[in-house]
Amino acid sequence: MPRGISMKLVPALLCALFSGGVSASGFQLMEQNASGIGNAYAGSAAVAENASTIYFNPAGMTQLQRLEVSGGLAVVKPSFRFNDKGSSVNTLAGTGEGGDAGGWAYVPNGYVSWGVTKDLYVGLGISAPFGLKTEYDDRWVGAAQSRLFEIKTINVNPSIAYRVSDKVSLGFGLNWQKLDATYERLSNVSSTASLLKLKLSDDAWGWNAGALFSVSPSTKVGVSYRSAIKYKTDGHMNRNGAWYSDNKASLKLPDTAILSVTQKLSDKWEMLGDI
């Protein structure tokens, strides 16, 4: 990035946010359906309760009715607070601890599956698998580092599933995913504070696959895998609304794998588990 400003750190920030499966859990949104919230998404690759199985394990479509539609909206309220222990900063950026950088977020999802034949199913899912936003006060002690950081994704997932036998079903899906990132901070130039805003975006392709095994009438085992997706984002930076520089950043969202088991214990009880 030109002019030697600290915005050159943004690609590193983006990569750090998504590096590794564990750290990515802070930005990965598990809320991909409404039905799984009540049991914390346990057994997600084996349950196949509705068309949202397209996201967790497309092979589960073979357990559904001929036509099923599922939709949901998750409401999330994270909280992020900075506790100042005596920072020394340029007061042009502001003072104070920035307030609560968290806020209300809404995560929608929708799915439809259709049985072409008794054993062949197709489906389509639309969801938001990654995202987060932090927004501090306009002027605060850390405004020169960050005032706002927001990442949004949308994932379109056409899928197909086939029942190989009464005990084995296989599924596969393609994923078109779009990412938008926005970063804002204050910059001091000529003894005045100006707002720098960086916007980056890209779209990329990935895939997911799964298998569902009906071990017995009361036991199901599901395995699924969702590939990593690599982005080469580009965009531009504005200073107080005027173009300032062009920018690029490469980042990789991690892959995920799930092993699930559901065990029916009685007419009223069922045990669900995930790895």
Side-chain angles (χ1 to χ4, degrees), residues 29-33 72-76 105-109 127-131:
L29 301 171
M30 281 297 292
E31 295 82 3
Q32 301 304 312
N33 63 17
L73 177 68
V75 181
V76 183
Y106 306 93
V107 186
N109 59 78
S127 59
F130 289 89

Side-chain angles (χ1 to χ4, degrees), residues 6-7 9-10 13 82 87-90 93 136 140-149 183-187 196:
S6 63
M7 292 295 282
L9 297 175
V10 170
L13 283 171
F82 171 74
S87 303
S88 177
V89 298
N90 188 327
Y136 293 93
W140 71 292
V141 70
Q145 284 71 46
S146 178
R147 197 197 72 79
L148 178 145
F149 203 108
Y183 175 50
E184 294 182 5
R185 74 176 184 91
L186 291 183
S187 175
L196 290 176

Side-chain angles (χ1 to χ4, degrees), residues 160-194:
I160 188 170
Y162 184 70
R163 192 193 331 263
V164 179
S165 67
D166 291 341
K167 294 185 178 297
V168 180
S169 295
L170 303 176
F172 178 81
L174 291 175
N175 292 266
W176 175 83
Q177 196 172 109
K178 187 177 188 298
L179 178 144
D180 292 289
T182 303
Y183 175 50
E184 294 182 5
R185 74 176 184 91
L186 291 183
S187 175
N188 298 328
V189 178
S190 302
S191 299
T192 61
S194 57

Side-chain angles (χ1 to χ4, degrees), residues 68-261:
E68 290 206 16
V69 178
S70 172
L73 177 68
V75 181
V76 183
K77 176 60 170 71
S79 179
F80 304 96
R81 291 187 179 273
F82 171 74
N83 188 9
D84 187 16
K85 295 298 185 180
S87 303
S88 177
V89 298
N90 188 327
T91 56
L92 285 174
T95 58
E97 297 181 343
D100 189 349
W104 292 102
Y106 306 93
V107 186
N109 59 78
Y111 307 90
V112 58
S113 69
W114 177 55
V116 181
T117 68
K118 180 178 69 72
D119 298 319
L120 179 65
Y121 286 71
V122 295
L124 178 68
I126 300 176
S127 59
F130 289 89
L132 191 65
K133 179 180 180 180
T134 57
E135 185 173 8
Y136 293 93
D137 295 341
D138 289 345
R139 296 295 182 94
W140 71 292
V141 70
Q145 284 71 46
S146 178
R147 197 197 72 79
L148 178 145
F149 203 108
E150 182 176 21
I151 292 175
K152 295 179 180 179
T153 59
I154 182 171
N155 190 79
V156 180
N157 188 181
S159 302
I160 188 170
Y162 184 70
R163 192 193 331 263
V164 179
S165 67
D166 291 341
K167 294 185 178 297
V168 180
S169 295
L170 303 176
F172 178 81
L174 291 175
N175 292 266
W176 175 83
Q177 196 172 109
K178 187 177 188 298
L179 178 144
D180 292 289
T182 303
Y183 175 50
E184 294 182 5
R185 74 176 184 91
L186 291 183
S187 175
N188 298 328
V189 178
S190 302
S191 299
T192 61
S194 57
L195 179 65
L196 290 176
K197 178 183 286 189
L198 172 69
K199 297 184 73 70
L200 297 170
S201 64
D202 189 26
D203 61 88
W205 288 88
W207 58 274
N208 64 304
L212 184 64
F213 304 95
S214 298
V215 179
S216 72
S218 60
T219 306
K220 292 181 181 178
V221 177
V223 292
S224 69
Y225 176 80
R226 184 168 288 275
S227 74
I229 295 185
K230 298 179 180 179
Y231 287 101
K232 294 184 178 180
T233 64
D234 57 39
H236 58 273
M237 185 194 309
N238 292 332
R239 181 189 293 277
N240 290 337
W243 178 90
Y244 184 72
S245 67
D246 292 323
N247 303 270
K248 295 183 179 181
S250 298
L251 63 143
K252 177 182 176 182
L253 271 62
D255 56 349
T256 57
I258 304 173
L259 169 63
S260 298
V261 177

